[in-house]
Amino acid sequence: MPVGDLASKTIHELRHMIQAGTVSPPEIVDDLLARIDRLNDSRRIHAYLAVDPERIRRQAADLPASARAGQLYGIPITVKANICVAGEETSCASRILEGFRPPYDATVIERLRRAGAVLIPNANMDEFAFGSSTENSAFGVTRNPRAQDDRVPGGSSGGSAAAVASNMAIAALGSDTGGSIRQPASFCGVLGLKPTYGRVSRYGLVAFASSLDQIGPLAKDAEDAAMLLNVIAGHDERDSTSAPVEVPDYVAALRRPLKDVTIGLPEIPSEGLDQHVRAAVDGAIEVFRTLGVKTVPVELPNIDKAIATYYIIATAEASSNLARYDGVKYGFRAASGGSLTDMYLDTRTQGFGAEAKRRILLGTYVLSQGYYEAYYLKGMKVRTLIKQDFDDAFTACHIVLMPTAPTPAFRLKEKLDDPLQMYLSDIYTISANLAGIPALSVPCGAGPDGLPIGMQLLAAPFQESLLFQAAHAYEQATDWPSRRRNWRSGNAG
Amino acid sequence: MSYEPVIGLEVHLQLSTSTKLFCGCLAKYGAAPNSQTCPVCLGLPGVLPVLNERVMEWGIRVALAVDCQIAQTMKFDRKQYFYPDLPKNYQISQYDRPLAQRGHLDIVADHAPKRIGITRIHLEEDAGKLLHEASQTESYVDFNRTGVPLLEIVSEPDLRSPEEAYQYLIELKAIIEYLAVSTCNMEEGSLRCDTNVSLRRPGASQFGAKVEVKNLNSFKAVKQALAYEIQRQAVALDQGQRIRQETRLWDARALRTEPMRSKEGAADYRYFPEPDLVPFVIDRALIARMKATLPELPAERRRRYQDAYQLSAYDAQVLTQHAALGELFEGALRCGAPPKPAANWIMGDYLAHLNAKNREPESEKLRPEWLAHLIQLVDDGTISGKMAKDLFVQTLERGEDPRRLVEEGGLKQIVDAAALEPIADEVLRKNQRSVEDYLKGKTTAFTHLMGQAMKLSKGKANPQQMAALLKRKLEQVPS
Amino acid sequence: MALVTPEVIAQVARLARLRLEGPDLTRFTEQLSEILQYVQRLQAVDTERVEPTTHVLPLSNVLRKDEPRPSLPSDTVIALAPAQRPPFVAVPKVIET
């Protein structure tokens, strides 16, 4: 078998091979590590911050017999660097957490282990998930494997998306606070799901904005995403915001025929919307129509306030969540001969990158005395309106469809010095986090330069099955498996 | 010039639940440093709090005991400030939707009953402990205490004297002890108190500038610090100075308050709703159930003692200050002791003993039946009142039933006439002079004879019996 | 029109324990001012009768039993800290306040 052949497979393909006895977990891991070794160089894709082949091989070799029945037995799963894996560096791509090895597993990690997965930690990201390009990583950028020139993979889960797209991962976990799974999935041509808020435990996910964060899968197809969600979803008593809602079998739901489904098409802010993106999404709508899906117009009147709302709520929560990084208990402490206050100031000033500082400052400002009502309270109220918009929309349709991002992947450094422009690239993804609803980005075409384009499917809370079902039907109708195989060799090698 | 002090108290109470407020770490006092911590209370990245259900129950119990209105829905907020004993650099507390509001507590100060308002009661997590003494350049942090549940009870500024503040604290502590939700130990920090005080001209409706006083390590310190602070402010006002709104620390050695070095500018805690915790809807039926199962509280018990046992208001007050004292009293009564002597023993010798040893009634192992036995031994004349005092001390020190001590130590009074006779005879024989004096009508001589007789019996002779015997024998002496 | 002044941002930086001076302060002030300007659009939204959303899910009363769980070994806790003096975590001297 040529190197990289196993690495290019999906979870369900590998699972069949393992069950048939044609391949073993160590063989899969070896193939994947060989691929990573070739492509992960910081001058190339750099999807992982660090890879420790020995530890990964040992996991594959030491899989307990009891895990054989697990849904992910022997399958390597890549993990974003902000999800705690016991004993593994979990730096959130920040200097301030450099070298931090948590003495505990996140709940999703426990579940992956129980399902027999082999963990590949440390996928690159924007520092603390602050960003839409992975350029805010303190340890070097990740490059988009699908681009001919130097382009961003999107962010903040850019490492996870680039790894899956370049077959340096079978599938991956990311986190999504305002689009951090979906936008890089769209830029890299893979699937990415932000589940319903409360669907997946946040325990062990290093918090960015607690009321918006969710962990979700990035995968090569809908079935893999469904398989991963099957394993990681469900109530967790360690997360007070985790929903005690039963987890359906998402894989079983996948193949249900897509009939009697209505897709809602909202009028969306079109300023800055790339014509190729519009064309690709329109093409996808046509595909759904040929599948017998009815489309109706829906209104989301407050969607143009989503970014403003988001940057108040998310930064407020982030400023508070990041207060704990102070050089006292763990992580980085600046060499500072001075007082306690000097130590705090030096540690945080040297430990955080520019975007983290910007968000901490903005969040601190909107919560400070005299501004709370005008900003934070106002933001929470507009959030209510945005949520209501979706509640209303879902009385008229089952799924809302719109682009994931206004453009395909942009160039490295293109928006780095213009934070507001960077924020505006999250325009279509942010409202799903504010409303707490599930949203899936599905590859639906490419621009003339081959850059992938994603469409976004949104549903009412806990209706992930419906999203998988629609994505799967779309994949089948557009011969996704062979299209995806054609990407394999791509520019990334 | 005369001024009226306006005083408010903030009491922080550690609830003695088995585990912390938001994690399963033990909340026990006195464990080895940093041995009762976990990712949650250490604020490690990615962890989340989950509320301890007993904390909410106990909080409601306290709130009901001081007649507060319990919130329909309470929520938690983050109070943000940087300090090395606060691992997340925010404290999970309650801001605008506290557990309970608008209650009151009745006290008696300077012989007058008074109702003190309680503004609010809220839940929050405790911070860790900082050690400063061990090094010139560093401080050391012990995180065991972080996340221990605290109940903050804030009074209205209804108190008008240090004595009222003192009585408020005594009464509040008694209530908490009756509810058995905290150890209320100021030395161990399970009860902490800050106070604020301002002065105004009598009759003025406006309050003066408020001074907060912290670092109060005992109820006595609260009283002393308030007295000092009232005096300090009065002198300043008399001299035409303005009182600065500030925080001062009580120095228990120098017996004065000192201004606290202010932390860089005014605090801006940036409270906002804790997104990691959901709201808590407090079921009215639960409240009704909890109200029905509240134990008898000090005020009620005081009334009962006065009505059922004819104790004075003062006695009832003293006996109900500690739950343990009342339990001892009533236990002794159940074992047959009459109320008044039982009350007297507890209020007299027992409290004196506790004070001398600086001990709390809870830590003492005096069993109620022992007290009953002691009273019975005096009543049936087995021992004298004086012997009883010694015996009581021995009972406490050796932790044994006074009955057994009497039997073992031959402490029994000599009531047997046959055993008293030779003693009386010997005393009369050896004290001819006194006998003569007595017969001449000098009654004081009898006291001497009596003393000699008791001495000869090593204190065991029953004094009444011995006196009667001596008198009978003196009458028989031929003159 | 600048919504915030360098003085305000400097004060916010102090609250957040970040050092911010010179050109950095100017740059951050400009960027934050621009973002805040953008955020102003919310002021036009009528929220008179709108309740704030703090949680998107209607969950309440999530509680746990008062039952102990194992703590971390104190060695593990101390070892995480950048500066230690077992069994304590060490910080620059806190001036008693």
Side-chain angles (χ1 to χ4, degrees):
Chain A
M1 225 182 294
V3 168
D5 191 71
L6 289 173
S8 71
K9 301 218 174 298
T10 62
I11 298 176
H12 55 93
E13 286 165 351
L14 289 173
R15 182 162 162 76
H16 289 310
M17 292 169 76
I18 293 171
Q19 281 173 339
T22 57
V23 73
S24 71
E27 286 170 322
I28 298 171
V29 154
D30 281 343
D31 191 57
L32 192 68
L33 287 171
R35 178 115 184 128
I36 292 172
D37 189 48
R38 207 143 57 82
L39 297 178
N40 196 49
D41 191 280
S42 64
R43 280 156 305 174
R44 303 192 73 181
I45 298 176
H46 193 233
Y48 294 95
L49 291 169
V51 177
D52 185 338
E54 271 330 292
R55 288 169 78 97
I56 293 167
R57 286 203 179 91
R58 215 176 312 138
Q59 279 186 69
D62 294 351
L63 281 172
S66 63
R68 270 204 94 88
Q71 295 187 58
L72 298 174
Y73 176 74
I75 311 288
I77 301 293
T78 291
V79 180
K80 189 176 177 180
N82 62 349
I83 300 173
C84 290
V85 181
E88 299 285 348
E89 183 167 355
T90 304
S91 69
C92 300
S94 178
R95 291 221 177 280
I96 212 155
L97 274 178
E98 199 171 355
F100 171 66
R101 292 172 189 272
Y104 48 96
D105 274 337
T107 297
V108 291
I109 298 301
E110 275 184 11
R111 292 184 180 198
L112 287 178
R113 288 192 204 274
R114 227 179 297 140
V118 174
L119 304 168
I120 319 284
N122 251 317
N124 199 8
M125 56 185 284
D126 285 300
E127 180 179 14
F128 285 106
F130 297 155
S132 311
S133 68
T134 313
E135 292 166 291
N136 294 324
S137 167
F139 308 114
V141 298
T142 295
R143 286 178 191 80
N144 190 319
R146 301 291 315 285
Q148 307 302 321
D149 49 359
D150 268 356
R151 286 188 185 253
V152 302
S156 67
S157 309
S160 297
V164 175
S166 62
N167 295 323
M168 283 198 278
I170 308 302
L173 292 186
S175 68
D176 190 314
T177 307
S180 278
I181 288 174
R182 291 160 286 157
Q183 184 254 23
S186 167
F187 280 16
C188 292
V190 300
L191 279 86
L193 172 78
K194 182 206 89 76
T196 308
Y197 186 80
R199 176 75 293 182
V200 178
S201 169
R202 293 186 294 118
Y203 186 88
L205 167 67
V206 179
F208 159 8
S210 313
S211 77
L212 302 163
D213 296 342
Q214 270 289 290
I215 295 172
L218 292 106
K220 291 170 185 166
D221 65 14
E223 183 166 355
D224 274 12
M227 284 179 84
L228 256 184
L229 189 64
N230 264 355
V231 171
I232 61 172
H235 181 247
D236 177 15
E237 58 180 25
R238 287 181 296 189
D239 176 358
S240 302
T241 63
S242 148
V245 173
E246 214 184 310
V247 181
D249 183 342
Y250 295 113
V251 177
L254 206 64
R255 287 173 226 287
R256 264 184 240 144
L258 200 62
K259 68 171 195 223
D260 301 329
V261 168
T262 305
I263 290 183
L265 303 173
E267 210 174 294
I268 49 166
S270 59
E271 196 193 321
L273 176 59
D274 184 287
Q275 52 160 334
H276 302 294
V277 172
R278 185 189 288 271
V281 172
D282 285 346
I285 294 167
E286 277 314 310
V287 171
F288 279 115
R289 285 192 181 125
T290 60
L291 291 172
V293 166
K294 214 171 80 190
T295 58
V296 293
V298 291
E299 280 182 46
L300 298 171
N302 290 292
I303 195 172
D304 61 331
K305 281 95 176 182
I307 290 182
T309 306
Y310 174 84
Y311 277 92
I312 291 171
I313 293 173
T315 58
E317 293 180 12
S319 71
S320 176
N321 286 330
L322 269 63
R324 70 190 63 193
Y325 308 112
D326 63 357
V328 173
K329 296 135 312 220
Y330 44 79
F332 168 74
R333 177 190 288 191
S336 165
S339 67
L340 177 71
T341 303
D342 286 333
M343 189 278 279
Y344 280 156
L345 288 167
D346 291 339
T347 296
R348 289 169 62 82
T349 304
Q350 294 169 31
F352 289 126
E355 184 59 23
K357 286 177 190 162
R358 207 149 31 226
R359 298 206 188 189
I360 291 171
L361 290 169
L362 185 57
T364 305
Y365 176 82
V366 299
L367 288 177
S368 59
Q369 224 160 28
Y371 302 109
Y372 181 88
E373 273 79 16
Y375 291 104
Y376 192 71
L377 188 63
K378 187 80 185 180
M380 290 198 298
K381 287 180 172 177
V382 179
R383 185 177 186 178
T384 305
L385 297 175
I386 291 168
K387 187 173 177 298
Q388 273 168 10
D389 283 356
F390 280 99
D391 289 347
D392 294 347
F394 290 123
T395 61
C397 67
H398 301 96
I399 291 172
V400 166
L401 190 153
M402 61 173 125
T404 304
T407 65
F410 43 87
R411 282 186 195 80
L412 284 180
K413 296 200 177 119
E414 192 178 319
K415 300 186 178 183
L416 199 53
D417 292 326
D418 192 343
L420 185 58
Q421 280 312 309
M422 187 77 94
Y423 296 174
L424 292 176
S425 72
D426 296 334
I427 185 152
Y428 303 132
T429 46
I430 267 172
S431 43
N433 300 79
L434 291 169
I437 59 174
L440 177 66
S441 178
V442 182
C444 69
D449 42 8
L451 289 172
I453 291 167
M455 66 170 152
Q456 191 184 195
L457 307 173
L458 305 93
F462 303 103
Q463 297 302 310
E464 283 85 354
S465 292
L466 206 53
L467 300 180
F468 289 137
Q469 209 182 318
H472 185 71
Y474 177 81
E475 284 174 354
Q476 298 305 307
T478 56
D479 195 22
W480 172 245
S482 62
R483 280 196 296 134
R484 192 180 68 77
R485 266 191 293 276
N486 290 337
W487 290 3
R488 278 185 194 172
S489 43
N491 76 311
Chain B
M1 217 180 292
S2 79
Y3 302 96
E4 179 185 50
V6 175
I7 299 166
L9 290 172
E10 266 177 39
V11 171
H12 283 90
L13 203 66
Q14 272 184 359
L15 297 177
S16 44
T17 48
S18 153
T19 65
K20 293 185 178 181
L21 183 52
F22 297 119
C23 66
C25 284
L26 289 174
K28 238 188 240 155
Y29 178 81
N34 291 308
S35 66
Q36 289 179 177
T37 62
C38 74
V40 175
C41 56
L42 285 171
L44 293 188
V47 298
L48 299 167
V50 184
L51 181 64
N52 182 340
E53 81 182 342
R54 186 164 290 163
V55 170
M56 197 164 90
E57 276 173 31
W58 286 9
I60 295 172
R61 277 164 75 87
V62 172
L64 287 173
V66 291
D67 282 312
C68 273
Q69 292 178 29
I70 313 287
Q72 306 255 0
T73 303
M74 68 165 195
K75 70 173 177 75
F76 286 90
D77 301 274
R78 293 185 183 176
K79 178 182 182 179
Q80 310 191 72
Y81 62 96
F82 281 82
Y83 216 64
D85 64 4
L86 192 65
K88 303 184 289 297
N89 286 321
Y90 60 80
Q91 179 191 35
I92 303 179
S93 180
Q94 298 190 297
Y95 182 57
D96 57 345
R97 305 281 284 275
L99 173 69
Q101 298 184 77
R102 291 183 302 277
H104 58 80
L105 193 101
D106 294 327
I107 62 164
V108 176
D110 306 317
H111 307 292
K114 186 165 178 182
R115 176 158 285 191
I116 308 300
I118 287 174
T119 315
R120 58 183 272 148
I121 298 183
H122 74 250
L123 294 167
E124 62 187 25
E125 54 182 350
D126 207 344
K129 235 182 203 159
L130 280 169
L131 289 90
H132 305 289
E133 287 75 28
S135 154
Q136 289 298 310
T137 56
E138 288 183 318
S139 294
Y140 300 119
V141 201
D142 173 3
F143 291 109
N144 281 349
R145 206 176 63 182
T146 49
V148 169
L150 285 181
L151 201 62
E152 182 173 330
I153 304 169
V154 182
S155 87
E156 288 287 310
D158 287 347
L159 300 155
R160 292 291 173 271
S161 69
E163 177 61 19
E164 286 184 10
Y166 184 76
Q167 290 304 330
Y168 170 89
L169 289 170
I170 296 273
E171 182 67 10
L172 183 61
K173 182 176 177 219
I175 291 170
I176 305 301
E177 281 181 349
Y178 278 44
L179 296 171
V181 297
S182 171
T183 56
C184 293
N185 186 327
M186 281 191 97
E187 269 168 39
E188 293 180 359
S190 63
L191 190 156
R192 279 166 256 160
C193 173
D194 300 332
T195 177
N196 52 68
V197 54
S198 62
L199 297 188
R200 64 178 172 188
R201 306 291 300 276
S205 57
Q206 295 267 320
F207 292 143
K210 199 164 77 174
V211 173
E212 194 179 6
V213 184
K214 289 175 179 273
N215 196 35
L216 301 164
N217 297 322
S218 67
F219 288 178
K220 207 174 103 189
V222 174
K223 215 165 147 175
Q224 290 173 323
L226 281 171
Y228 173 88
E229 193 52 31
I230 290 166
Q231 177 68 21
R232 183 189 73 84
Q233 291 183 26
V235 168
L237 287 173
D238 283 345
Q239 292 169 352
Q241 296 169 17
R242 280 188 53 182
I243 302 298
R244 238 177 51 155
Q245 181 152 345
E246 61 178 346
T247 299
R248 299 175 71 89
L249 297 177
W250 173 243
D251 182 338
R253 253 167 292 178
L255 295 176
R256 62 168 181 250
T257 63
E258 298 280 5
M260 187 166 109
R261 256 174 285 186
S262 67
K263 298 178 192 174
E264 53 194 276
D268 182 349
Y269 292 125
R270 289 159 287 133
Y271 281 100
F272 79 105
E274 168 57 278
D276 289 332
L277 290 166
V278 296
F280 296 85
V281 180
I282 303 173
D283 182 22
R284 298 296 107 177
L286 171 78
I287 294 178
R289 248 190 342 269
M290 290 182 63
K291 209 166 196 165
T293 56
L294 278 185
E296 182 185 45
L297 295 170
E300 240 174 293
R301 189 174 278 184
R302 269 195 294 275
R303 276 194 296 278
R304 184 162 62 81
Y305 283 6
Q306 291 180 52
D307 296 348
Y309 308 125
Q310 281 76 51
L311 297 185
S312 70
Y314 176 78
D315 289 2
Q317 170 76 28
V318 175
L319 285 178
T320 53
Q321 261 173 28
H322 288 284
L325 290 184
E327 278 147 28
L328 177 62
F329 173 68
E330 292 186 53
L333 264 51
R334 275 195 297 278
C335 296
K340 188 63 190 166
N344 286 345
W345 273 106
I346 293 170
M347 292 163 51
D349 292 60
Y350 187 49
L351 282 184
H353 165 84
L354 291 176
N355 279 338
K357 302 270 171 183
N358 202 10
R359 261 188 231 161
E360 294 295 317
E362 300 76 43
S363 58
E364 202 48 81
K365 289 184 200 63
L366 176 63
R367 296 201 196 150
E369 67 262 31
W370 296 349
L371 180 59
H373 292 166
L374 183 79
I375 293 169
Q376 209 183 353
L377 286 167
V378 179
D379 275 1
D380 67 14
T382 312
I383 56 171
S384 68
K386 184 169 177 304
M387 286 164 75
K389 282 180 178 291
D390 296 337
L391 185 58
F392 187 58
V393 172
Q394 284 195 44
T395 301
L396 289 169
E397 277 172 3
R398 294 168 57 181
E400 283 209 53
D401 189 337
R403 272 188 186 162
R404 266 193 66 188
L405 289 172
V406 164
E407 278 158 19
E408 275 175 10
L411 261 176
K412 255 188 185 147
Q413 244 182 160
I414 306 169
V415 289
D416 179 2
L420 292 174
E421 287 265 358
I423 298 170
D425 288 342
E426 191 179 337
V427 167
L428 294 179
R429 197 173 65 244
K430 286 189 174 163
N431 295 280
Q432 283 299 328
R433 180 82 185 271
S434 296
V435 173
E436 284 163 23
D437 287 351
Y438 178 79
L439 292 174
K440 283 178 194 154
K442 211 171 162 191
T443 49
T444 50
F446 185 77
T447 315
H448 177 72
L449 291 169
M450 189 61 199
Q452 291 299 310
M454 290 309 287
K455 194 172 161 191
L456 198 59
S457 77
K458 300 198 176 86
K460 291 185 203 167
N462 179 305
Q464 287 85 20
Q465 263 184 302
M466 181 54 87
L469 184 62
L470 282 174
K471 280 192 177 155
R472 205 171 65 234
K473 286 198 181 273
L474 284 166
E475 276 164 22
Q476 289 162 4
V477 174
S479 43
Chain C
M1 180 199 80
L3 259 174
V4 284
T5 60
E7 289 71 34
V8 170
I9 294 302
Q11 168 59 23
V12 169
R14 268 194 297 279
L15 266 177
R17 300 297 186 278
L18 292 171
R19 263 192 224 290
L20 203 54
E21 45 221 1
D24 277 351
L25 178 59
T26 314
R27 189 166 54 96
F28 275 110
T29 304
E30 282 165 10
Q31 288 173 340
L32 292 171
S33 194
E34 194 194 359
I35 296 164
L36 288 167
Q37 185 68 53
Y38 175 81
V39 164
Q40 288 308 307
R41 62 180 57 204
L42 293 192
Q43 301 311 323
V45 184
D46 180 8
T47 51
E48 187 69 33
R49 284 191 188 77
V50 181
E51 285 296 309
T53 294
T54 49
H55 297 87
V56 281
L57 287 183
L59 291 175
S60 63
N61 295 47
V62 178
L63 297 156
R64 63 175 180 86
K65 295 246 175 285
D66 185 24
E67 284 163 4
R69 297 257 179 144
S71 291
L72 288 172
S74 70
D75 299 353
T76 307
V77 176
I78 312 299
L80 286 171
Q84 320 128 11
R85 159 58 91 97
F88 299 104
V89 167
V91 293
K93 187 87 175 169
V94 178
I95 312 298
E96 261 294 66
T97 47

